[in-house]
Amino acid sequence: MGNHKKFVSKKRKGNFKFESKRKRKDKKDDEVINKKAKFNRYKDKQKVEEILAKKKQMEDRFKQQDKTFSESEPEDDTYTQLVSSFKNNNVNKLIESEEESMSEGDLDVVVNVKKSPIHDPSNDSALYSESEENNEISDHELENEDNALEKDRDASNDPFTKHLQYELSDELLVSMSNSQPFEKKITKEWPSLGHLHISIPQPMESVSKISKPKISILEEKTYASVGSVPHSFKKVDFNELYIKSQIKDNIVSSNKNNLIKRDLELSEVFTPLQKELFSIMNHYQDLYYSDRTFTNGDEIRYTYCLHVANHMLKTRTKILHHNAKLAKKTDIPDEYRDQGLVRPKVIILVPFKDAAYRVVKTLIDIVVPKEAGQVVNKNRFEDDFTGGELLMPTKNPKPEDYELLFSGNTDDTFRLGLTLTKKTLKLYTDFYASDILIASPLGLRMIVGAEGEEDRDYDFLASIELLILDQADVFLMQNWDHLLHVLDHFHLQPKKTHGTDFSRVRSWAVNGWSKYYRQTLVFSSIAMPEIRSIVNKKCQNYRGKVIISNQPEIGAIRQVLVQVPQLFHRLNATSPLSAVDARFEYFVKEILPKQRDPLMSHTLIYVPSYFDFVRLRNYFKKEDISFVQVCEYTKDAKIARARDMFFHAEAHFLLYSERVHFFRRLRIKGIRHIIFYQPPTYPHFYSEMLNLMQESNQNKYGGSECNMTSTTMYCRYDAARGAAVLGVDRITRMLNADKPLHMYLTGDK
């Protein structure tokens, strides 16, 4: 009835208009759509309210952390990120942010997640969000860290702060930029390390004017001080050494476990060698130590791992401290600049997976022992870096140094990223989310690539603060060009931003001076010009460098057992480059014609360089000389055939490369005469090859003991090799003598 009255009233007023059924249907449809729209808006409002509530809870829980960091910008838009970093200081807080505390439940989430954002370099925002969720620190912990940093700041004696905090003065920068910087050279003698050559770059002004750090009158700016001579400590005081409290309690136990075979006394913390090495490392100067052996290898490894852990923990503490302070500030002062252009800060290069395995195990013992923390992806690491050992023969055993070097996994293609937090060590993290990178030269070369390749990346090398080359002599036997290629790509300008907050990047990193702040530690078992060249040309630390140079008094010639005359031919060369051609000409004109006599059959030619090996092989083929060859690329079947032909005098010469001897240690039989085209890289190879000439290895129809000789070619650029074989006194006399030919007999003093 109500509707009828309404209808009548409208009709009386003349407002009634006839509506068709189609229009009435459309009107009803519109009403339904409007109701659905209102309902959807209501649902959207509920969702928005839920999101805001969750966001508010997250902000309350992590009030000291960055609140908008997860809203990452496009990776390739570098200019937009740079502008936004100065517009809003709370965005993209810091690439270094990591877990301050992690419960067992949080750890399970990290381990069990199917696709961790760490392994997806394109999902940087997810990685930072994960870090924020686990980066909650208590007020008590923050206060303790704050007090510790304030104490260090007041003292201003921590080498870490002194090395990285300040920029270089103009005078020192000009000196470092020269091809031959002005250096102060000092020589010292230490009980364990021996003879130290110390070089410290000096500014382009008198020493009296640089005794104190320079202060700019306009800006009142403190510049980095000039490096000083390191001093060895006698008494171990962790506070004076500025070792982080987090690892102080682990040092004694972990070092004793590391050196259990050496019966370290309970009262000692470091061995004498470790004390002197750590004195130089903690002084943030470059170091080249060429007396590494299988006996002291564990001591050296533990020392640089301790230095790496201490360096990274100091970096992390400073960053977390600054993050907490900046949460209460609207701008970022210059003193809060604490990072580089990318996150990775440490690279450790080792030749084999077994060496990398030992490094990681040492870091675990120092940072997160069983009762103090967790290791993520540990089982995967154990599977990848163990196994694959070489089977050593029992009938004719290999030399002891060979078994020690090639024990464990000998794969030389690997790379591993590590992230260090307070109670967790993460393995297999993405390079740009890692603090420490452990790799082989070949493993890094495959990532760096060559010019012109599309899939190549070397941005992660831009901000390396600590580079360690352990067993650098093995790199010579693998492929030296891989190492040189990688070193050429250090500290280049990154092509992408990789989520960097530019307002927190150190000024000297922005200016492209990172190479002057990088500390390089090089360890090898031999003193080689190639390694020395890297230290002199690729290491430009403004704090200076220390080179340990101990000349061998007794050479490997003392280990020769067979009675054979040993001839040494000196050839003249004006430069290392010209020595290559001079050596070949001397061999062709002076040595080869005598050795081609039928009485001089069973001659083995030992060639250290593969390029010289190829040159000799091509010449022998061209001159139609009877010879067989064995190198690192020769297949097993051809090696067996070449050895058989040489033993039975079917081939006059055997060309033998040093690298095949390094990796295989073949027992060549039938050698009556041996020619060292150049002194061996490893001095004990000289005595090994000569001792193969003993009677038990000879063909009784191939000659007599009276017809056996050894010939070595050398020049003044082979002084280091010659000193290792003959001793420094003998090689000095031979290089300065008038006559070019010298002979020694077994048993001579």
Side-chain angles (χ1 to χ4, degrees):
M1 292 294 294
N3 293 336
H4 178 69
K5 290 180 179 179
K6 188 175 182 180
F7 174 78
V8 173
S9 64
K10 287 184 178 180
K11 185 178 180 181
R12 289 176 179 175
K13 292 180 180 180
N15 293 329
F16 176 77
K17 292 183 180 180
F18 177 77
E19 293 181 353
S20 64
K21 292 182 179 181
R22 183 174 181 180
K23 288 184 177 181
R24 288 198 299 271
K25 183 178 180 181
D26 293 341
K27 193 173 183 180
K28 289 181 179 180
D29 293 340
D30 292 339
E31 292 177 356
V32 172
I33 292 173
N34 291 334
K35 289 181 180 180
K36 289 183 177 180
K38 290 180 180 179
F39 180 72
N40 289 336
R41 284 197 299 271
Y42 176 74
K43 288 178 65 177
D44 293 340
K45 185 177 181 181
Q46 280 185 324
K47 290 182 179 180
V48 171
E49 290 177 353
E50 291 177 0
I51 293 173
L52 292 176
K54 290 182 179 180
K55 184 177 180 181
K56 190 174 184 302
Q57 291 177 0
M58 295 294 292
E59 290 175 353
D60 293 339
R61 182 182 176 188
F62 307 108
K63 58 183 178 181
Q64 295 182 7
Q65 299 301 318
D66 211 358
K67 299 174 179 64
T68 59
F69 194 83
S70 59
E71 299 176 1
S72 62
E73 296 178 346
E75 178 68 28
D76 295 329
D77 194 358
T78 308
Y79 177 78
T80 306
Q81 285 199 359
L82 179 60
V83 174
S84 64
S85 66
F86 292 100
K87 286 184 178 180
N88 186 0
N89 292 326
N90 292 326
V91 179
N92 291 343
K93 203 59 176 175
L94 187 61
I95 192 173
E96 318 291 352
S97 299
E98 279 302 327
E99 295 85 351
E100 179 64 22
S101 62
M102 179 178 288
S103 63
E104 294 182 359
D106 295 331
L107 183 63
D108 292 337
V109 172
V110 176
V111 175
N112 295 328
V113 66
K114 292 184 178 180
K115 186 176 182 180
S116 172
I118 285 179
H119 303 289
D120 186 3
S122 63
N123 194 9
D124 290 336
S125 61
L127 171 61
Y128 303 143
S129 299
E130 179 189 354
S131 298
E132 291 170 3
E133 291 177 3
N134 294 292
N135 206 7
E136 182 180 2
I137 60 176
S138 64
D139 295 336
H140 180 67
E141 287 180 320
L142 180 60
E143 184 178 357
N144 291 340
E145 297 288 358
D146 188 26
N147 293 336
L149 283 173
E150 290 296 338
K151 182 179 179 181
D152 291 345
R153 186 180 294 109
D154 294 338
S156 299
N157 289 325
D158 189 349
F160 171 84
T161 303
K162 293 169 65 176
H163 179 59
L164 299 174
Q165 185 71 21
Y166 308 109
E167 295 183 25
L168 301 180
S169 63
D170 293 340
E171 294 82 2
L172 184 57
L173 184 62
V174 169
S175 177
M176 295 297 300
S177 301
N178 292 334
S179 58
Q180 294 182 350
F182 175 66
E183 294 180 338
K184 179 181 179 181
K185 298 184 181 297
I186 305 101
T187 301
K188 298 189 70 175
E189 287 286 339
W190 283 10
S192 297
L193 290 180
H195 200 65
L196 275 66
H197 293 279
I198 306 169
S199 302
I200 301 176
Q202 301 293 316
M204 301 299 291
E205 58 182 0
S206 63
V207 179
S208 60
K209 295 182 181 180
I210 62 170
S211 58
K212 297 181 180 180
K214 180 180 177 181
I215 307 294
S216 173
I217 299 178
L218 299 178
E219 301 179 1
E220 296 183 355
K221 189 174 183 180
T222 304
Y223 291 96
S225 60
V226 180
S228 59
V229 179
H231 298 281
S232 177
F233 59 89
K234 297 181 180 179
K235 182 180 178 181
V236 179
D237 188 340
F238 293 141
N239 294 327
E240 293 183 0
L241 295 176
Y242 295 92
I243 295 178
K244 291 291 295 179
S245 58
Q246 178 179 338
I247 59 177
K248 284 194 300 186
D249 298 334
N250 305 332
I251 291 177
V252 176
S253 59
S254 59
N255 197 18
K256 291 184 184 300
N257 294 334
N258 180 56
L259 303 175
I260 191 67
K261 296 180 180 179
R262 293 178 55 84
D263 297 328
L264 189 67
E265 297 181 6
L266 297 176
S267 59
E268 297 183 25
V269 178
F270 296 120
T271 64
L273 177 62
Q274 287 178 330
K275 289 181 181 179
E276 297 182 4
L277 286 175
F278 192 75
S279 298
I280 300 174
M281 295 179 189
N282 202 37
H283 210 59
Y284 280 91
Q285 292 178 318
D286 294 340
L287 171 65
Y288 174 35
Y289 182 66
S290 59
D291 291 333
R292 187 191 190 279
T293 63
F294 295 105
T295 304
N296 62 21
D298 292 335
E299 297 180 64
I300 296 172
R301 184 184 302 108
Y302 183 87
T303 307
Y304 70 68
C305 285
L306 175 61
H307 180 54
V308 167
N310 196 40
H311 178 84
M312 289 310 309
L313 289 174
K314 288 180 181 179
T315 301
R316 176 180 167 276
T317 301
K318 181 180 289 291
I319 288 167
L320 292 178
H321 172 82
H322 287 171
N323 286 350
K325 291 290 185 181
L326 291 175
K328 305 175 184 178
K329 295 180 179 293
T330 57
D331 58 344
I332 300 181
D334 289 341
E335 59 265 23
Y336 288 90
R337 294 179 177 270
D338 49 20
Q339 68 165 324
L341 296 173
V342 290
R343 175 165 181 170
K345 288 180 170 53
V346 178
I347 285 186
I348 303 176
L349 292 180
V350 289
F352 304 118
K353 274 189 174 182
D354 179 70
Y357 178 80
R358 296 173 186 265
V359 170
V360 175
K361 295 292 287 186
T362 304
L363 288 173
I364 292 174
D365 291 340
I366 295 174
V367 181
V368 285
K370 294 181 180 179
E371 66 279 1
Q374 301 288 343
V375 181
V376 181
N377 293 326
K378 185 177 181 179
N379 292 335
R380 177 184 173 188
F381 170 73
E382 293 281 349
D383 295 338
D384 290 348
F385 283 79
T386 57
E389 296 89 351
L390 294 177
L391 296 177
M392 299 296 174
T394 56
K395 184 178 180 181
N396 293 317
K398 300 289 186 180
E400 183 181 2
D401 66 290
Y402 181 87
E403 294 185 356
L404 292 174
L405 178 62
F406 292 98
S407 62
N409 194 323
T410 57
D411 186 5
D412 63 350
T413 309
F414 61 91
R415 46 194 174 269
L416 179 68
L418 290 81
T419 300
L420 183 64
T421 65
K422 183 177 181 181
K423 295 183 179 181
T424 305
L425 183 65
K426 291 184 178 181
L427 307 178
Y428 293 97
T429 54
D430 178 72
F431 269 20
Y432 292 99
S434 301
D435 300 316
I436 305 170
L437 306 178
I438 303 176
S440 64
L442 178 58
L444 284 188
R445 174 66 186 267
M446 294 176 65
I447 298 179
V448 172
E451 186 175 356
E453 295 181 1
E454 295 182 0
D455 188 15
R456 61 183 309 217
D457 185 12
Y458 48 83
D459 288 354
F460 60 89
L461 301 173
S463 298
I464 298 300
E465 298 172 0
L466 183 56
L467 171 63
I468 299 172
L469 308 178
D470 196 7
Q471 296 177 273
D473 52 288
V474 182
F475 301 154
L476 278 169
M477 295 293 105
Q478 292 177 333
N479 195 322
W480 192 246
D481 288 338
H482 292 338
L483 178 62
L484 296 179
H485 184 77
V486 171
L487 292 178
D488 289 338
H489 288 79
F490 271 72
H491 309 298
L492 300 180
Q493 183 176 357
K495 296 182 178 180
K496 297 181 181 180
T497 61
H498 302 286
T500 304
D501 179 7
F502 293 97
S503 61
R504 297 284 292 275
V505 177
R506 291 188 175 99
S507 300
W508 50 261
V510 176
N511 294 333
W513 301 340
S514 297
K515 60 183 178 180
Y516 301 132
Y517 288 80
R518 190 192 77 209
Q519 182 187 24
T520 307
L521 308 176
V522 183
F523 304 98
S524 70
S525 62
I526 52 176
M528 292 298 298
E530 293 87 345
I531 304 176
R532 186 72 172 263
S533 176
I534 283 183
V535 177
N536 291 333
K537 296 182 179 180
K538 304 292 184 180
C539 301
Q540 299 172 289
N541 188 352
Y542 81 92
R543 299 284 295 176
K545 63 173 68 75
V546 179
I547 298 176
I548 287 87
S549 177
N550 297 316
Q551 299 293 342
E553 297 180 0
I554 301 176
I557 194 172
R558 292 288 185 91
Q559 301 172 0
V560 177
L561 302 178
V562 296
Q563 294 291 333
V564 57
Q566 303 167 48
L567 304 175
F568 291 85
H569 292 258
R570 188 185 67 211
L571 54 98
N572 297 322
T574 57
S575 67
L577 187 61
S578 64
V580 177
D581 294 330
R583 194 183 310 275
F584 179 77
E585 294 296 331
Y586 189 89
F587 175 80
V588 171
K589 294 180 180 179
E590 301 293 335
I591 305 297
L592 187 59
K594 300 176 183 178
Q595 295 296 136
R596 294 186 67 175
D597 189 283
L599 294 175
M600 304 298 288
S601 61
H602 295 276
T603 298
L604 182 143
I605 304 176
Y606 182 97
V607 188
S609 171
Y610 182 73
F611 300 103
D612 291 334
F613 180 90
V614 173
R615 188 174 188 178
L616 290 177
R617 182 188 63 188
N618 294 340
Y619 178 81
F620 278 30
K621 288 182 177 180
K622 179 181 178 181
E623 297 296 326
D624 196 21
I625 299 175
S626 173
F627 81 101
V628 289
Q629 59 175 324
V630 175
C631 68
E632 57 271 27
Y633 302 109
T634 308
K635 296 181 180 180
D636 291 343
K638 291 187 176 181
I639 291 178
R641 184 171 181 272
R643 295 173 65 179
D644 183 73
M645 292 179 65
F646 179 72
F647 181 78
H648 292 95
E650 297 178 16
H652 190 95
F653 292 100
L654 170 60
L655 284 180
Y656 188 69
S657 73
E658 183 176 65
R659 289 177 65 184
V660 73
H661 187 70
F662 177 82
F663 287 106
R664 303 288 293 272
R665 298 296 177 91
L666 301 175
R667 298 172 64 91
I668 306 297
K669 296 183 178 182
I671 304 174
R672 291 288 179 179
H673 309 277
I674 185 169
I675 299 174
F676 290 95
Y677 193 75
Q678 186 180 9
T681 303
Y682 290 89
H684 62 276
F685 286 179
Y686 179 84
S687 57
E688 277 187 16
M689 296 303 300
L690 286 182
N691 289 334
L692 291 176
M693 300 170 67
Q694 57 187 323
E695 185 63 28
S696 60
N697 293 329
Q698 297 294 345
N699 184 348
K700 61 181 180 179
Y701 302 107
S704 63
E705 294 182 3
C706 299
N707 186 24
M708 297 174 65
T709 58
S710 170
T711 303
T712 303
M713 300 166 52
Y714 71 99
C715 66
R716 64 191 182 110
Y717 299 105
D718 298 323
R721 294 171 180 256
V725 172
L726 295 166
V728 63
D729 293 336
R730 285 179 175 176
I731 194 66
T732 302
R733 292 196 303 266
M734 291 165 57
L735 289 173
N736 296 326
D738 295 332
K739 57 180 182 178
L741 180 62
H742 295 80
M743 183 180 70
Y744 294 96
L745 296 174
T746 304
D748 287 350
K749 295 183 179 180

